[in-house]
Amino acid sequence: MRFHSPQKLKTIADLIGARFIGSEDFEVLGTNEIHRVTPGDIVFVNHPKYYDKALNSAATVILIDKEVECPEGKALLVSEDPFRDFNFINTHFTRIYNFTEELHDVEIGEGTRIHPSAVIGNNVKIGKNTHIFPNVVIGDRTVIGDNVIIQSGTVLGGDAFYYRKLNGNFDRLISVGNVIIENNVEIGNNCTIDRGVTDSTIIGEGSVLDNLIQIGHDTIIGKRCLIASQVGIAGCCIVEDEVTMWGQVGVASGIRLEKGTILLAKVGVNRDLTKGTYFGMIAEEFREYLKKEVKLRNLK
């Protein structure tokens, strides 16, 4: 999430009541989740297990629950509750409406058809010659390109599934990102594409999604991907161009799939995969899977 204008470290520290380490004029450009951070971003960390990852990430401001040595060229915000304060910063700079106010700052391109039963949030942009079917829900800040088809019951821009356990309950990390659907994408019935926590969930140009597909926050689907029914892709994944996923594939969070990879039905993906064809509950290269099956049968 980018601020509308650059902020100073002291301004952010004062906003959340945190101590800061670094120059009070240190420039802060926005916030981001650890998988998507870039220079100028604030990233939060609240467990020693992840200190090194956050401190050595591309982020230049680390919102942390303990004073540690500050890496050169970076700054720290020391907070008693970084998760809470990360939410506070995000919602201070990004207004959350969630259909409670109908401001409808919507741009719609020429030739686009939207069924009257569709529900559209605020600050939405829809390109030319796009077709939105009945009962589609389009959340705030969603961007949809040209020549896109979105079929009935699909929801774009729902909240990210991102929680912590606090006092016996679940506490949500509030989503201030968005969804971007690029040109010539087709999305089937009853799909759900969550908006990014602080960045964009992206469906690349020319990709086609079947019915009943879930795509998690901050995931990037490349160009010309083909995804069959009941696939579930967790948050922060990168699916490169021309990947094919058949029915009921499941992909764990933070996974990268190389361009041209093929996942056959019901594959479970728990690690990064290079280009190939995979099958099995824990993804195996298909030829190796078949060899194993032959050996097992020959044991009888």
Side-chain angles (χ1 to χ4, degrees):
M1 185 266 293
R2 275 293 189 258
F3 301 142
H4 293 300
S5 59
Q7 304 293 312
K8 302 301 183 184
L9 182 66
K10 186 178 186 304
T11 302
I12 301 298
D14 290 345
L15 178 68
I16 59 176
R19 292 187 294 114
F20 65 89
I21 297 172
S23 169
E24 65 178 43
D25 292 328
F26 193 94
E27 190 171 69
V28 187
L29 302 180
T31 69
N32 229 326
E33 203 266 342
I34 186 66
H35 294 86
R36 299 287 292 274
V37 288
T38 57
D41 286 341
I42 301 170
V43 68
F44 84 92
V45 61
N46 56 0
H47 194 289
K49 179 179 178 181
Y50 302 109
Y51 283 177
D52 285 346
K53 184 175 182 179
L55 291 165
N56 295 316
S57 72
T60 43
V61 180
I62 295 84
L63 177 59
I64 192 168
D65 60 350
K66 179 183 177 181
E67 184 173 336
V68 296
E69 184 176 351
C70 183
E72 186 177 353
K74 300 192 178 189
L76 302 182
L77 291 165
V78 183
S79 160
E80 64 179 21
D81 191 342
F83 189 104
R84 177 200 65 199
D85 290 339
F86 194 72
N87 269 340
F88 190 91
I89 295 167
N90 287 336
T91 55
H92 178 82
F93 288 99
T94 301
R95 179 79 181 274
I96 302 298
Y97 296 105
N98 283 340
F99 304 102
T100 57
E101 298 179 41
E102 295 187 8
L103 303 181
H104 282 135
D105 182 12
V106 177
E107 297 180 20
I108 300 174
E110 182 180 355
T112 285
R113 294 168 293 166
I114 302 174
H115 192 273
S117 65
V119 179
I120 301 177
N122 299 305
N123 301 314
V124 170
K125 296 181 181 179
I126 303 174
K128 298 179 293 186
N129 301 314
T130 285
H131 188 185
I132 310 296
F133 281 56
N135 299 316
V136 168
V137 178
I138 301 173
D140 294 349
R141 301 179 299 283
T142 298
V143 178
I144 300 172
D146 301 337
N147 306 308
V148 171
I149 296 172
I150 302 173
Q151 296 194 35
S152 298
T154 283
V155 178
L156 306 180
D159 288 331
F161 188 74
Y162 196 136
Y163 294 84
R164 65 168 174 175
K165 197 74 172 291
L166 180 67
N167 300 323
N169 297 307
F170 293 109
D171 184 26
R172 180 191 294 277
L173 189 64
I174 298 170
S175 308
V176 296
N178 73 338
V179 171
I180 297 175
I181 309 296
E182 295 184 350
N183 297 340
N184 304 308
V185 167
E186 297 186 18
I187 301 174
N189 299 287
N190 295 318
C191 295
T192 53
I193 301 175
D194 294 342
R195 68 181 182 265
V197 170
T198 49
D199 212 313
S200 299
T201 303
I202 301 172
I203 311 299
E205 182 175 358
S207 289
V208 178
L209 280 61
D210 194 5
N211 306 321
L212 297 166
I213 291 168
Q214 157 66 19
I215 295 178
H217 67 88
D218 297 288
T219 281
I220 299 174
I221 306 294
K223 302 180 188 303
R224 298 176 299 281
C225 291
L226 187 66
I227 304 178
S229 181
Q230 297 184 0
V231 166
I233 304 174
C236 302
C237 293
I238 297 177
V239 178
E240 296 183 4
D241 298 346
E242 299 172 7
V243 169
T244 299
M245 301 185 192
W246 295 112
Q248 297 186 339
V249 165
V251 183
S253 64
I255 298 296
R256 179 184 286 269
L257 303 177
E258 190 176 30
K259 178 180 178 179
T261 296
I262 298 173
L263 304 178
L264 301 178
K266 295 189 176 183
V267 166
V269 183
N270 65 345
R271 68 191 187 283
D272 294 351
L273 296 179
T274 56
K275 182 179 179 180
T277 300
Y278 295 88
F279 188 61
M281 291 290 289
I282 298 177
E284 298 179 68
E285 203 283 326
F286 188 46
R287 289 180 180 273
E288 295 302 315
Y289 178 89
L290 293 177
K291 288 178 184 178
K292 182 185 73 175
E293 287 297 303
V294 169
K295 290 179 181 178
L296 288 173
R297 292 187 182 189
N298 288 339
L299 290 175
K300 296 181 180 179

PDB file of all heavy atoms in Angstrom, residues 6 49 62 68 78 99 106 151 162 184 206 209 211 223 240 256 279:
ATOM      1  N   PRO A   6       4.871  10.829   0.302  1.00  0.00           N
ATOM      2  CA  PRO A   6       5.851  10.284   1.242  1.00  0.00           C
ATOM      3  C   PRO A   6       5.668  10.856   2.646  1.00  0.00           C
ATOM      4  O   PRO A   6       5.335  12.030   2.823  1.00  0.00           O
ATOM      5  CB  PRO A   6       7.192  10.707   0.638  1.00  0.00           C
ATOM      6  CG  PRO A   6       6.902  10.909  -0.817  1.00  0.00           C
ATOM      7  CD  PRO A   6       5.505  11.443  -0.876  1.00  0.00           C
ATOM      8  N   LYS A  49      11.519 -15.504  15.585  1.00  0.00           N
ATOM      9  CA  LYS A  49      11.754 -16.461  14.497  1.00  0.00           C
ATOM     10  C   LYS A  49      11.862 -15.761  13.151  1.00  0.00           C
ATOM     11  O   LYS A  49      12.569 -16.226  12.246  1.00  0.00           O
ATOM     12  CB  LYS A  49      10.613 -17.483  14.481  1.00  0.00           C
ATOM     13  CG  LYS A  49      10.713 -18.532  13.393  1.00  0.00           C
ATOM     14  CD  LYS A  49       9.544 -19.498  13.495  1.00  0.00           C
ATOM     15  CE  LYS A  49       9.593 -20.545  12.379  1.00  0.00           C
ATOM     16  NZ  LYS A  49       8.442 -21.482  12.463  1.00  0.00           N
ATOM     17  N   ILE A  62      11.286  -1.284   9.583  1.00  0.00           N
ATOM     18  CA  ILE A  62      10.807  -2.510  10.222  1.00  0.00           C
ATOM     19  C   ILE A  62      10.055  -2.140  11.492  1.00  0.00           C
ATOM     20  O   ILE A  62      10.624  -1.513  12.398  1.00  0.00           O
ATOM     21  CB  ILE A  62      11.972  -3.483  10.536  1.00  0.00           C
ATOM     22  CG1 ILE A  62      12.620  -3.976   9.238  1.00  0.00           C
ATOM     23  CG2 ILE A  62      11.454  -4.677  11.328  1.00  0.00           C
ATOM     24  CD1 ILE A  62      13.642  -3.105   8.631  1.00  0.00           C
ATOM     25  N   VAL A  68      16.365  -3.977  18.336  1.00  0.00           N
ATOM     26  CA  VAL A  68      17.484  -4.791  17.869  1.00  0.00           C
ATOM     27  C   VAL A  68      18.433  -3.879  17.095  1.00  0.00           C
ATOM     28  O   VAL A  68      18.134  -2.712  16.847  1.00  0.00           O
ATOM     29  CB  VAL A  68      16.989  -5.945  16.954  1.00  0.00           C
ATOM     30  CG1 VAL A  68      16.110  -6.917  17.732  1.00  0.00           C
ATOM     31  CG2 VAL A  68      16.245  -5.403  15.731  1.00  0.00           C
ATOM     32  N   VAL A  78       9.729   0.750  17.007  1.00  0.00           N
ATOM     33  CA  VAL A  78       9.646  -0.230  18.091  1.00  0.00           C
ATOM     34  C   VAL A  78       8.295  -0.074  18.769  1.00  0.00           C
ATOM     35  O   VAL A  78       7.990   0.961  19.374  1.00  0.00           O
ATOM     36  CB  VAL A  78      10.799  -0.049  19.102  1.00  0.00           C
ATOM     37  CG1 VAL A  78      10.728  -1.132  20.175  1.00  0.00           C
ATOM     38  CG2 VAL A  78      12.151  -0.103  18.371  1.00  0.00           C
ATOM     39  N   PHE A  99     -18.700  -1.732   1.515  1.00  0.00           N
ATOM     40  CA  PHE A  99     -20.111  -1.588   1.107  1.00  0.00           C
ATOM     41  C   PHE A  99     -20.984  -0.906   2.159  1.00  0.00           C
ATOM     42  O   PHE A  99     -22.204  -0.970   2.096  1.00  0.00           O
ATOM     43  CB  PHE A  99     -20.713  -2.952   0.728  1.00  0.00           C
ATOM     44  CG  PHE A  99     -19.929  -3.659  -0.338  1.00  0.00           C
ATOM     45  CD1 PHE A  99     -19.069  -4.702  -0.019  1.00  0.00           C
ATOM     46  CD2 PHE A  99     -20.027  -3.261  -1.662  1.00  0.00           C
ATOM     47  CE1 PHE A  99     -18.335  -5.344  -0.998  1.00  0.00           C
ATOM     48  CE2 PHE A  99     -19.295  -3.899  -2.657  1.00  0.00           C
ATOM     49  CZ  PHE A  99     -18.443  -4.949  -2.322  1.00  0.00           C
ATOM     50  N   VAL A 106     -16.734   5.189  -9.743  1.00  0.00           N
ATOM     51  CA  VAL A 106     -16.510   4.051 -10.632  1.00  0.00           C
ATOM     52  C   VAL A 106     -16.299   4.548 -12.056  1.00  0.00           C
ATOM     53  O   VAL A 106     -17.044   5.402 -12.552  1.00  0.00           O
ATOM     54  CB  VAL A 106     -17.711   3.081 -10.585  1.00  0.00           C
ATOM     55  CG1 VAL A 106     -17.508   1.924 -11.563  1.00  0.00           C
ATOM     56  CG2 VAL A 106     -17.905   2.547  -9.172  1.00  0.00           C
ATOM     57  N   GLN A 151     -18.377 -14.295 -14.624  1.00  0.00           N
ATOM     58  CA  GLN A 151     -19.668 -14.952 -14.588  1.00  0.00           C
ATOM     59  C   GLN A 151     -20.293 -14.917 -13.193  1.00  0.00           C
ATOM     60  O   GLN A 151     -19.669 -14.511 -12.213  1.00  0.00           O
ATOM     61  CB  GLN A 151     -19.538 -16.380 -15.125  1.00  0.00           C
ATOM     62  CG  GLN A 151     -19.123 -16.389 -16.594  1.00  0.00           C
ATOM     63  CD  GLN A 151     -19.306 -17.735 -17.257  1.00  0.00           C
ATOM     64  OE1 GLN A 151     -20.236 -18.465 -16.962  1.00  0.00           O
ATOM     65  NE2 GLN A 151     -18.397 -18.062 -18.165  1.00  0.00           N
ATOM     66  N   TYR A 162      -6.179 -13.837   6.867  1.00  0.00           N
ATOM     67  CA  TYR A 162      -4.898 -13.573   7.535  1.00  0.00           C
ATOM     68  C   TYR A 162      -5.221 -13.151   8.962  1.00  0.00           C
ATOM     69  O   TYR A 162      -5.717 -12.060   9.207  1.00  0.00           O
ATOM     70  CB  TYR A 162      -4.165 -12.452   6.793  1.00  0.00           C
ATOM     71  CG  TYR A 162      -2.685 -12.296   7.097  1.00  0.00           C
ATOM     72  CD1 TYR A 162      -1.778 -12.100   6.070  1.00  0.00           C
ATOM     73  CD2 TYR A 162      -2.209 -12.310   8.406  1.00  0.00           C
ATOM     74  CE1 TYR A 162      -0.418 -11.930   6.329  1.00  0.00           C
ATOM     75  CE2 TYR A 162      -0.869 -12.149   8.679  1.00  0.00           C
ATOM     76  CZ  TYR A 162       0.027 -11.954   7.636  1.00  0.00           C
ATOM     77  OH  TYR A 162       1.354 -11.785   7.909  1.00  0.00           O
ATOM     78  N   ASN A 184      -8.650  -9.471 -21.269  1.00  0.00           N
ATOM     79  CA  ASN A 184      -8.960 -10.757 -21.912  1.00  0.00           C
ATOM     80  C   ASN A 184      -8.976 -11.937 -20.946  1.00  0.00           C
ATOM     81  O   ASN A 184      -8.731 -13.077 -21.345  1.00  0.00           O
ATOM     82  CB  ASN A 184      -7.970 -11.037 -23.058  1.00  0.00           C
ATOM     83  CG  ASN A 184      -7.954  -9.927 -24.084  1.00  0.00           C
ATOM     84  OD1 ASN A 184      -8.991  -9.527 -24.589  1.00  0.00           O
ATOM     85  ND2 ASN A 184      -6.770  -9.392 -24.362  1.00  0.00           N
ATOM     86  N   GLY A 206      -5.229 -12.790 -20.410  1.00  0.00           N
ATOM     87  CA  GLY A 206      -5.541 -13.984 -21.181  1.00  0.00           C
ATOM     88  C   GLY A 206      -5.757 -15.246 -20.373  1.00  0.00           C
ATOM     89  O   GLY A 206      -5.993 -16.319 -20.952  1.00  0.00           O
ATOM     90  N   LEU A 209     -10.247 -18.923 -15.894  1.00  0.00           N
ATOM     91  CA  LEU A 209     -10.572 -19.624 -14.651  1.00  0.00           C
ATOM     92  C   LEU A 209     -11.941 -20.268 -14.785  1.00  0.00           C
ATOM     93  O   LEU A 209     -12.908 -19.622 -15.207  1.00  0.00           O
ATOM     94  CB  LEU A 209     -10.582 -18.657 -13.465  1.00  0.00           C
ATOM     95  CG  LEU A 209      -9.246 -18.256 -12.836  1.00  0.00           C
ATOM     96  CD1 LEU A 209      -8.341 -17.555 -13.828  1.00  0.00           C
ATOM     97  CD2 LEU A 209      -9.471 -17.381 -11.612  1.00  0.00           C
ATOM     98  N   ASN A 211     -15.136 -22.626 -12.833  1.00  0.00           N
ATOM     99  CA  ASN A 211     -16.006 -22.323 -11.705  1.00  0.00           C
ATOM    100  C   ASN A 211     -15.375 -22.729 -10.370  1.00  0.00           C
ATOM    101  O   ASN A 211     -14.490 -23.588 -10.321  1.00  0.00           O
ATOM    102  CB  ASN A 211     -17.334 -23.073 -11.855  1.00  0.00           C
ATOM    103  CG  ASN A 211     -18.005 -22.811 -13.185  1.00  0.00           C
ATOM    104  OD1 ASN A 211     -17.987 -21.688 -13.667  1.00  0.00           O
ATOM    105  ND2 ASN A 211     -18.589 -23.832 -13.783  1.00  0.00           N
ATOM    106  N   LYS A 223       0.183 -14.769 -17.191  1.00  0.00           N
ATOM    107  CA  LYS A 223      -0.579 -14.641 -18.431  1.00  0.00           C
ATOM    108  C   LYS A 223      -0.903 -16.024 -19.002  1.00  0.00           C
ATOM    109  O   LYS A 223      -0.113 -16.955 -18.891  1.00  0.00           O
ATOM    110  CB  LYS A 223       0.209 -13.821 -19.454  1.00  0.00           C
ATOM    111  CG  LYS A 223       0.574 -12.422 -18.983  1.00  0.00           C
ATOM    112  CD  LYS A 223       1.358 -11.668 -20.044  1.00  0.00           C
ATOM    113  CE  LYS A 223       1.893 -10.334 -19.512  1.00  0.00           C
ATOM    114  NZ  LYS A 223       0.847  -9.447 -18.999  1.00  0.00           N
ATOM    115  N   GLU A 240       3.585 -18.463 -12.607  1.00  0.00           N
ATOM    116  CA  GLU A 240       4.123 -17.823 -13.798  1.00  0.00           C
ATOM    117  C   GLU A 240       3.237 -18.105 -15.018  1.00  0.00           C
ATOM    118  O   GLU A 240       2.239 -18.824 -14.924  1.00  0.00           O
ATOM    119  CB  GLU A 240       5.573 -18.265 -14.019  1.00  0.00           C
ATOM    120  CG  GLU A 240       6.498 -17.814 -12.887  1.00  0.00           C
ATOM    121  CD  GLU A 240       7.952 -18.168 -13.107  1.00  0.00           C
ATOM    122  OE1 GLU A 240       8.290 -18.708 -14.200  1.00  0.00           O
ATOM    123  OE2 GLU A 240       8.769 -17.912 -12.204  1.00  0.00           O
ATOM    124  N   ARG A 256       5.986 -20.754  -5.631  1.00  0.00           N
ATOM    125  CA  ARG A 256       6.211 -20.286  -7.006  1.00  0.00           C
ATOM    126  C   ARG A 256       6.142 -21.475  -7.958  1.00  0.00           C
ATOM    127  O   ARG A 256       6.795 -22.504  -7.731  1.00  0.00           O
ATOM    128  CB  ARG A 256       7.567 -19.602  -7.145  1.00  0.00           C
ATOM    129  CG  ARG A 256       7.850 -19.124  -8.577  1.00  0.00           C
ATOM    130  CD  ARG A 256       9.244 -18.526  -8.698  1.00  0.00           C
ATOM    131  NE  ARG A 256       9.324 -17.219  -8.083  1.00  0.00           N
ATOM    132  CZ  ARG A 256       9.098 -16.069  -8.726  1.00  0.00           C
ATOM    133  NH1 ARG A 256       8.765 -16.079 -10.013  1.00  0.00           N
ATOM    134  NH2 ARG A 256       9.204 -14.926  -8.097  1.00  0.00           N
ATOM    135  N   PHE A 279       1.820 -34.967 -10.508  1.00  0.00           N
ATOM    136  CA  PHE A 279       0.636 -35.688 -10.047  1.00  0.00           C
ATOM    137  C   PHE A 279       0.880 -36.148  -8.624  1.00  0.00           C
ATOM    138  O   PHE A 279       2.015 -36.290  -8.182  1.00  0.00           O
ATOM    139  CB  PHE A 279       0.358 -36.893 -10.960  1.00  0.00           C
ATOM    140  CG  PHE A 279      -0.940 -37.587 -10.681  1.00  0.00           C
ATOM    141  CD1 PHE A 279      -2.148 -36.920 -10.797  1.00  0.00           C
ATOM    142  CD2 PHE A 279      -0.966 -38.917 -10.301  1.00  0.00           C
ATOM    143  CE1 PHE A 279      -3.349 -37.559 -10.547  1.00  0.00           C
ATOM    144  CE2 PHE A 279      -2.162 -39.573 -10.039  1.00  0.00           C
ATOM    145  CZ  PHE A 279      -3.359 -38.881 -10.158  1.00  0.00           C
TER     146      PHE A 279
END
